[in-house]
Amino acid sequence: MGWLAYSYITLDLFVFFANAPGLMISIWLNVGAMKLQYYEEIIKYSSVQVTEVRAGRGSAEEDNHNEPESADGDESNNVNNDGTCLLRPPSSLTSHECMVLQIVIIWMVIISTTSLIPIDNADMKFVIGVAVNLNLIFFYAAPLSSIVTIFRTKSSESIHFWTMIMMSANAFFWCVYSLAIRDYYILIPNGLGLMFGLTQVILCMLYPTGGDGDDDSKDITTGIFTEVI
């Protein structure tokens, strides 16, 4: 969303057409993530629905009544003696929906403020440029959150190989483009993204996984908020 606003301010069609499909894909992915998270909460809630009382459970629970409640969420703490559930039904508004709404509101405030307040084009470019730079830096730095795990396990399995390659290539090409048009708002975040990508390459070389890099079981730590630029 931010890069589309930036492309409108700078009248850059390359930035626009590169990020418009990315915005549509991001909306689709986030909607899917919301459904999956709500489905997971429903499954978790349904799994503690007890349909029958186990034999001798009443005396066992009486013996355990004075014991402190376990921190791991044992199902005996979630049901009554008659098998009814003590957990509240999951909220219809998931945490992922709340996060998406917060991001949308932030961008609505930024775009509305820069559009409605009478400021010149250079100031609009500065405000939107700084905002999208911060957003993109967080996107590129997200895979590095597993760096502690990599050093502890001596394995780079938490870095998805092909995602790393695509992110690094994406950052490299946008760096070349930004140098060609001398746009530092595009150069700075993508330069950092390229540096982060090379860091991941070094980590993969130092701590190889021993696989071919395309195992679907590996964690993808880039998150669901994708940016094209």
Side-chain angles (χ1 to χ4, degrees):
M1 185 182 297
W3 283 111
L4 292 182
Y6 185 81
S7 67
Y8 176 78
I9 295 173
T10 59
L11 300 179
D12 193 325
L13 295 179
F14 292 103
V15 175
F16 175 82
F17 285 110
N19 287 275
L23 177 61
M24 292 186 290
I25 294 174
S26 178
I27 293 174
W28 175 65
L29 290 174
N30 280 283
V31 170
M34 296 171 193
K35 294 179 181 179
L36 290 174
Q37 189 175 44
Y38 184 73
Y39 176 75
E40 182 181 0
E41 292 295 328
I42 290 293
I43 294 298
K44 180 181 178 181
Y45 173 73
S46 301
S47 64
V48 298
Q49 302 295 324
V50 180
T51 58
E52 61 182 3
V53 180
R54 298 177 181 176
R57 179 176 179 178
S59 59
E61 289 187 348
E62 185 177 355
D63 295 336
N64 296 330
H65 179 71
N66 295 325
E67 295 183 2
E69 183 177 354
S70 60
D72 57 356
D74 186 80
E75 76 167 16
S76 62
N77 297 321
N78 298 327
V79 294
N80 290 319
N81 292 336
D82 58 355
T84 57
C85 180
L86 294 178
L87 292 181
R88 291 183 300 175
S91 173
S92 59
L93 186 65
T94 64
S95 59
H96 190 80
E97 288 178 290
C98 294
M99 182 172 58
V100 172
L101 287 174
Q102 291 174 3
I103 294 176
V104 171
I105 291 174
I106 291 174
W107 275 112
M108 286 181 62
V109 171
I110 294 175
I111 295 176
S112 300
T113 302
T114 54
S115 301
L116 299 177
I117 295 179
I119 57 178
D120 56 21
N121 187 269
D123 292 334
M124 293 176 62
K125 181 179 179 181
F126 173 77
V127 174
I128 300 296
V130 170
V132 294
N133 268 253
L134 294 175
N135 190 27
L136 192 58
I137 289 174
F138 280 114
F139 167 73
Y140 278 131
L144 297 181
S145 61
S146 61
I147 189 170
V148 177
T149 304
I150 295 174
F151 283 116
R152 185 177 67 250
T153 61
K154 306 299 182 181
S155 174
S156 60
E157 288 186 355
S158 58
I159 295 180
H160 193 268
F161 179 78
W162 293 112
T163 301
M164 173 192 65
I165 294 298
M166 293 303 297
M167 286 178 57
S168 302
N170 176 69
F172 171 77
F173 287 120
W174 280 112
C175 284
V176 174
Y177 176 75
S178 63
L179 289 173
I181 64 174
R182 297 182 180 180
D183 191 327
Y184 297 102
Y185 291 107
I186 299 177
L187 175 62
I188 293 175
N190 285 284
L192 292 175
L194 181 59
M195 181 184 67
F196 292 151
L198 294 177
T199 301
Q200 294 175 72
V201 172
I202 295 174
L203 289 175
C204 288
M205 295 175 62
L206 293 177
Y207 306 108
T209 60
D212 54 6
D214 57 356
D215 187 4
D216 294 333
S217 63
K218 295 179 182 179
D219 296 331
I220 302 178
T221 58
T222 56
I224 198 163
F225 293 101
T226 56
E227 291 277 343
V228 176
I229 175 175

